[in-house]
Amino acid sequence: MNATKRKFNALLQGLNSPRPSANDQQPRKTADIAAGKLASPSTPSQAQKKRRMGAFADGAAVAGATTTTTDITSSLPSLASISSLRRPLQTPAPAARPPEVASRYCPADREQLLRRLATFGEITTWAPKPDRVSDLEWAKRGWVSVSKECVRCALCHKELVVKLNRKQQDGKEVSVLIASEIALVEKYAGLIVSSHQPDCLWKKRGCDDTLLRISFSSSSSTLESLRQRYDELCFRQSFLPYEFNLRLPEDMVIDTVLEQLPDDFFTHPPPPAANGTAAGQSPNRAALALALTGWQGLSNSRIGAVPNSASCHTCLRRLGLWIFKSKEVTEDGQVLVPATMNHLDPIREHRYFCPWKSPQAQSRIGTTGKDAQATASVTLLQMLKNESDLRNLYAGRSRKTKPQTPIVAEKENTDPATPQKAPPVILEPMSNPQVKSSVTEFDDAERDAKDKERWARLRKVKSLFDTKSNRKLKRPGTPQSAKATTPQK
């Protein structure tokens, strides 16, 4: 019994001993520890095998030991497994964090507004609210989402809990729009402004409603962003819905857009190999239609690119592409198994404040008429049309060119004594000279009447500037008038 205790104490001392050096990385067997000697070195493959087998391998190695020693040590972990626990864990590289929100007052910074709006994107921390207290209204006043139903000002760091009346319905929480709920919404709408610190600048003025407007002033940057959205969607072409699954606006014709795009739009720069499109392959019409309406690939800060979803980087709306794609389609285009949703309306799927859907968010201040009703997609199509017309004009391929009659150059008159022949005057054929003369006389009489009326108005205006002194100077027979009319020598 005493021998067993000594062996157990020796085993405990071996467990508490410092980590062996680089030259002595092999684990020691229980029998060798009890005997007070080290085990013979083994090959690296055997060491890896022992680390994998753990305590079971060590128990098999000491099978020849005494029964009492085996009973005590079989339930203890091996030295190899314990040494592996002492090693530092190999943690994966951290994922890229989302862009941080600046702690400054920037009511005219569109990028910072989108960053604040992105903090409300997680459904676990922010539930959908009515439009009066939506995430856009909070972000326009400098608020960001920090925890569940809790917002914080990025400048004055004031926190506020936004919790509306909700009830359980079919296992899900839904908002209750009752009289008290409407009053609570109005209360929170006022707290968006009044909850800031007294000296906070966000309390005085927030972001303008037209800050989300998309600019298409630079054609090169517009085409570059359109190509980027197209490439991101082509990377997800296995999940993209078919063209007949889309419900596009009437003024968006993909064939016309393909004609208006530059010739090297799909080839320069070359498409990435990851999207699966070859150099000579025809363009993906569904991807182009979604790119023209503001959609592009969805990317998550923790898991990276999401292959089966798209998103709008303006309203931060996420769209599952697979639910709009027909499940089984024959080669001739006949649908065997329809999609979960009947069709995809890419304009309708945007949020209410998105400029791709809302003309008010895209229109400029003071615009009226047709320009005030144009969304971002309509403006983009018009820009592509204008650029196509300019390219055709510069290349001499304008579609509205009219045939011009050749101009014959006349010979110069070398003899000054000979009068030069006047160029011929081409007269229009007169089918009825009497009608032609009557029309001319009517035009002359009308012109004379207008001239008389114009002169009468001029005389009336001139009389307003004639004062009494000027009238005395102009009175005939007076010496002043004679002096004024006498020319100086």
Side-chain angles (χ1 to χ4, degrees):
M1 186 65 182
N2 293 332
T4 303
K5 290 182 179 180
R6 286 195 299 271
K7 294 176 182 178
F8 185 73
N9 291 333
L11 177 62
L12 293 178
Q13 292 177 2
L15 293 176
N16 297 328
S17 61
R19 186 178 179 181
S21 61
N23 297 329
D24 190 13
Q25 293 289 342
Q26 303 297 331
R28 292 181 292 177
K29 297 181 180 180
T30 307
D32 296 336
I33 293 174
K37 59 183 180 178
L38 297 174
S40 58
S42 60
T43 61
S45 61
Q46 294 177 354
Q48 295 178 0
K49 183 177 180 181
K50 288 181 179 180
R51 282 194 292 269
R52 290 194 302 268
M53 295 179 67
F56 298 100
D58 292 338
V62 297
T66 58
T67 305
T68 57
T69 304
T70 304
D71 295 338
I72 295 174
T73 60
S74 60
S75 60
L76 298 176
S78 64
L79 294 178
S81 60
I82 294 176
S83 62
S84 63
L85 294 176
R86 293 180 180 178
R87 298 173 185 173
L89 297 176
Q90 297 181 357
T91 57
R97 290 185 176 183
E100 296 182 357
V101 178
S103 300
R104 56 188 175 88
Y105 179 65
C106 46
D109 195 335
R110 185 176 185 270
E111 182 180 359
Q112 289 297 326
L113 174 61
L114 293 178
R115 290 184 182 183
R116 293 193 299 271
L117 189 60
T119 60
F120 296 87
E122 296 297 333
I123 193 65
T124 56
T125 59
W126 182 263
K129 304 289 190 301
D131 295 346
R132 289 291 307 279
V133 291
S134 63
D135 48 357
L136 177 65
E137 300 300 327
W138 292 96
K140 283 163 53 176
R141 282 288 178 172
W143 299 94
V144 295
S145 177
V146 292
S147 60
K148 186 173 182 179
E149 304 297 342
C150 181
V151 294
R152 177 193 299 165
C153 177
L155 185 60
C156 65
H157 305 288
K158 186 70 175 295
E159 292 190 359
L160 180 67
V161 177
V162 185
K163 190 173 183 181
L164 302 177
N165 297 330
R166 307 182 69 85
K167 67 176 183 179
Q168 292 285 341
Q169 182 177 356
D170 297 335
K172 298 180 181 180
E173 289 187 354
V174 295
S175 59
V176 183
L177 293 178
I178 55 179
S180 60
E181 177 74 7
I182 297 175
L184 191 59
V185 169
E186 296 295 332
K187 179 65 176 178
Y188 276 120
L191 291 176
I192 294 177
V193 180
S194 61
S195 295
H196 290 279
Q197 296 289 353
D199 57 346
C200 184
L201 296 177
W202 286 113
K203 190 174 184 179
K204 299 180 180 180
R205 178 176 176 268
C207 297
D208 192 69
D209 295 336
T210 60
L211 189 59
L212 292 176
R213 180 180 178 273
I214 303 175
S215 176
F216 298 104
S217 57
S218 176
S219 59
S220 58
S221 60
T222 301
L223 291 174
E224 183 180 354
S225 59
L226 177 62
R227 173 63 190 278
Q228 179 183 359
R229 296 196 299 269
Y230 172 79
D231 289 339
E232 291 181 5
L233 292 171
C234 285
F235 177 73
R236 299 158 173 81
Q237 61 179 351
S238 58
F239 297 95
L240 289 177
Y242 299 102
E243 187 178 1
F244 57 81
N245 293 133
L246 302 178
R247 295 295 183 270
L248 301 177
E250 296 180 358
D251 54 350
M252 183 179 295
V253 183
I254 301 300
D255 294 331
T256 305
V257 174
L258 289 174
E259 295 177 358
Q260 294 173 352
L261 289 174
D263 297 336
D264 58 346
F265 177 78
F266 299 100
T267 57
H268 181 75
N275 60 6
T277 56
Q281 189 177 357
S282 59
N284 193 321
R285 299 169 63 92
L288 180 60
L290 293 176
L292 289 171
T293 53
W295 296 99
Q296 58 190 104
L298 174 62
S299 180
N300 190 278
S301 59
R302 293 191 294 269
I303 63 177
V306 183
N308 58 358
S309 301
S311 68
C312 173
H313 285 196
T314 303
C315 64
L316 305 179
R317 174 81 159 86
R318 301 176 183 179
L319 187 65
L321 298 173
W322 74 94
I323 61 176
F324 300 99
K325 183 178 181 180
S326 300
K327 298 180 180 180
E328 291 186 13
V329 181
T330 60
E331 296 181 356
D332 56 353
Q334 184 179 0
V335 179
L336 299 180
V337 180
T340 306
M341 302 294 292
N342 295 332
H343 61 273
L344 170 60
D345 190 347
I347 300 295
R348 184 182 178 183
E349 291 298 330
H350 288 281
R351 300 187 66 183
Y352 72 95
F353 59 84
C354 186
W356 294 102
K357 179 181 181 180
S358 173
Q360 292 77 16
Q362 179 61 22
S363 62
R364 298 180 180 178
I365 299 176
T367 56
T368 57
K370 188 177 180 180
D371 295 338
Q373 302 298 326
T375 60
S377 59
V378 175
T379 309
L380 177 58
L381 292 177
Q382 185 63 37
M383 192 277 300
L384 294 177
K385 181 180 180 301
N386 296 341
E387 290 296 321
S388 176
D389 294 341
L390 287 177
R391 286 194 303 270
N392 294 336
L393 181 63
Y394 293 152
R397 294 184 286 106
S398 178
R399 298 179 180 179
K400 296 183 180 181
T401 54
K402 297 181 180 180
Q404 299 179 357
T405 57
I407 301 175
V408 180
E410 297 181 357
K411 296 182 180 180
E412 296 183 358
N413 188 11
T414 56
D415 189 2
T418 307
Q420 189 175 0
K421 185 179 180 181
V425 179
I426 302 176
L427 300 177
E428 296 181 358
M430 298 176 61
S431 58
N432 193 346
Q434 297 179 356
V435 176
K436 189 72 175 180
S437 60
S438 61
V439 172
T440 305
E441 292 176 359
F442 178 77
D443 294 341
D444 293 341
E446 185 179 1
R447 190 183 304 109
D448 293 341
K450 289 183 178 179
D451 291 342
K452 290 180 181 179
E453 184 180 359
R454 189 180 300 110
W455 280 110
R457 290 180 181 177
L458 289 175
R459 283 192 295 269
K460 186 176 181 180
V461 173
K462 186 178 180 181
S463 64
L464 298 175
F465 296 95
D466 290 343
T467 59
K468 294 182 179 180
S469 58
N470 293 335
R471 293 175 182 175
K472 291 180 180 180
L473 291 175
K474 295 181 180 180
R475 187 176 298 172
T478 58
Q480 294 180 354
S481 63
K483 184 178 179 180
T485 55
T486 304
Q488 297 181 359
K489 295 183 179 180

